[in-house]
Amino acid sequence: MSSTHRVYSYSAVLMGSPILLKLFSHDEMLASRVFRLIRQYEDLLTVNRAHSEVMNINHAAGQHAVVVSRPVYELIRCAKAASVLHDSAFNLAIGPLVKRWKIGFHGDRVPPAEEIAALLARTSPQEVILDDEAGSVFLTRPGMEIDLGAIAKGYIADRVRDYLHKEGVTEGLINLGGNLQTLGAREGGWTVGVKKPFDLPEALVGTLQVENRSVVTSGTYERYFEQDGRRYHHILNPSTGYPLDNELDSVTIVSPDSLDGDIWTTLIFGMGVERGCAALRARPDIEAIFVTRAKEVILSSMNHFRFTLCDEDYRLTDNIV
Ligand code: FAD
Ligand code: MG
């Protein structure tokens, strides 16, 4: 942060992720209210415990519809809409495969191919049935499971931003383990690092400067395991059931809402650089920074941020298309 003003940082571990809140005034009460808000959303949305509203839906798969609270319903509606786009890499019904692979959790191993094939049959987003009037969700097939891991942190980051606004905070930052949302800016904006894949945690490929924007990164280097000399990361290809395999190490999305950032990191991961840049031409509010295995950094555009390359192993290209 480039500011002469003092910044106060508050941290916690929630949703299995390091959470960081930055404010310009010392206010521990506000920080604990922010962490409580995040915890409330985690309690509604988690699939890492036996009970939550999302787990109630999953437990009733193949049996009956479940009425959920409005925020959970709206988030699921949004996740389904992203999942049914043509050729989408995003799938809210990917749960059975996520649970089976356990990537980033104890006991992660490559499952037998026939198990993956059998589980794929339980991941159709079309079989997530929504009833707007009742506010209910029904998974038509037994064994189906919703997983909001690719969207929930973005949604929650926006809710924290809204809460801080409501509390009269005009400048601040929330980082939910790679899902970052900023409020306001002083003296040139917030400086946000883009991590160097498979390197030390503090190593950066470059830095971004943003104001009033969200910055969301998804990468192959945070949650993965190795088996027989191959690396398996946590973003699964919904059509094969295996980790998405393309030229990318990471994608960072800069956008007004973190919800869009979270959805688009996954969509773009599936598209790769060329199709990703083409898709973003229709969305000038959403911009991508691709970091490739070949050590290129490619910007889809740079209208709402500034980028500085920090690592000379990498080459910077803006928009190859
Ligand atoms: P993204 O790239 O945005 O999403 C990847 C995640 O989405 C995967 O981890 C998987 O969960 C899911 N996914 C994989 N492929 C697809 C696909 N094709 N389409 C849609 N979704 C996909 N982690 C813990 O270790 N312990 C916890 O207790 C824990 N609790 C959590 C509770 C909540 C409410 C949330 C939101 C997350 C929690 N997590 C926890 C982290 C979670 O397991 C994921 O690792 C995390 O959400 C990944 O976020 P990301 O932004 O890094 O990845
Ligand atoms: Mg995501």
Side-chain angles (χ1 to χ4, degrees), residues 209-257:
Q209 272 170 303
V210 291
E211 296 176 18
N212 287 311
R213 294 262 142 182
S214 153
V215 181
V216 179
T217 299
S218 266
T220 60
Y221 57 87
E222 294 280 2
R223 281 185 188 242
Y224 69 90
F225 67 92
E226 279 173 331
Q227 189 177 320
D228 304 325
R230 282 202 58 182
R231 208 179 267 148
Y232 297 88
H233 67 83
H234 71 147
I235 309 167
L236 301 175
N237 181 337
S239 37
T240 64
Y242 286 82
L244 271 164
D245 189 17
N246 58 25
E247 77 270 43
L248 296 172
D249 273 343
S250 75
V251 173
T252 298
I253 299 284
V254 179
S255 56
D257 287 327

Side-chain angles (χ1 to χ4, degrees), residues 176-196:
L176 306 176
N179 259 267
L180 197 142
Q181 182 56 283
T182 64
L183 285 86
R186 286 184 188 188
E187 297 162 29
W190 296 95
T191 300
V192 179
V194 176
K195 282 191 184 176
K196 184 172 181 181

Side-chain angles (χ1 to χ4, degrees), residues 24-282:
F24 286 98
S25 61
H26 180 52
D27 194 341
E28 251 166 59
M29 296 299 285
L30 178 61
S32 63
R33 290 201 301 278
V34 166
F35 294 145
R36 187 164 66 221
L37 181 72
I38 298 169
R39 208 172 290 119
Q40 282 166 353
Y41 281 116
E42 178 178 8
D43 290 346
L44 292 174
L45 300 169
T46 188
V47 291
N48 292 301
R49 295 183 220 144
H51 299 288
S52 70
E53 287 201 3
V54 174
M55 285 307 290
N56 291 346
I57 300 168
N58 292 347
H59 289 315
Q63 298 168 48
H64 57 83
V66 173
V67 176
V68 290
S69 59
R70 214 63 216 175
V72 174
Y73 185 81
E74 288 307 323
L75 184 57
I76 290 175
R77 202 169 54 79
C78 205
K80 179 175 173 182
S83 306
V84 297
L85 294 172
H86 175 67
D87 221 6
S88 176
F90 190 104
N91 183 352
L92 85 160
I94 199 90
L97 284 162
V98 173
K99 282 280 157 63
R100 182 61 187 84
W101 277 91
K102 297 195 198 121
I103 299 174
F105 292 86
H106 180 70
D108 42 10
R109 287 194 63 73
V110 181
E114 56 284 7
E115 267 190 58
I116 290 180
L119 290 172
L120 267 177
R122 295 189 207 153
T123 62
S124 165
Q126 277 81 10
E127 293 183 74
V128 178
I129 308 298
L130 303 181
D131 183 331
D132 280 349
E133 222 154 273
S136 69
V137 185
F138 177 41
L139 308 181
T140 59
R141 217 180 267 261
M144 283 181 76
E145 285 181 69
I146 289 178
D147 181 314
L148 301 175
I151 190 174
K153 287 199 278 182
Y155 174 81
I156 298 169
D158 291 338
R159 299 295 72 77
V160 170
R161 172 202 57 193
D162 296 348
Y163 179 72
L164 290 172
H165 269 149
K166 195 169 86 40
E167 293 286 306
V169 174
T170 52
E171 289 162 329
L173 175 152
I174 183 80
N175 186 353
L176 306 176
N179 259 267
L180 197 142
Q181 182 56 283
T182 64
L183 285 86
R186 286 184 188 188
E187 297 162 29
W190 296 95
T191 300
V192 179
V194 176
K195 282 191 184 176
K196 184 172 181 181
F198 306 105
D199 208 296
L200 297 172
E202 62 277 13
L204 299 180
V205 165
T207 58
L208 299 174
Q209 272 170 303
V210 291
E211 296 176 18
N212 287 311
R213 294 262 142 182
S214 153
V215 181
V216 179
T217 299
S218 266
T220 60
Y221 57 87
E222 294 280 2
R223 281 185 188 242
Y224 69 90
F225 67 92
E226 279 173 331
Q227 189 177 320
D228 304 325
R230 282 202 58 182
R231 208 179 267 148
Y232 297 88
H233 67 83
H234 71 147
I235 309 167
L236 301 175
N237 181 337
S239 37
T240 64
Y242 286 82
L244 271 164
D245 189 17
N246 58 25
E247 77 270 43
L248 296 172
D249 273 343
S250 75
V251 173
T252 298
I253 299 284
V254 179
S255 56
D257 287 327
S258 210
L259 178 75
D260 287 326
D262 213 358
I263 292 172
W264 278 84
T265 49
T266 307
L267 290 178
I268 292 268
F269 227 101
M271 293 175 189
V273 177
E274 220 171 300
R275 282 205 302 134
C277 284
L280 287 178
R281 278 202 235 117

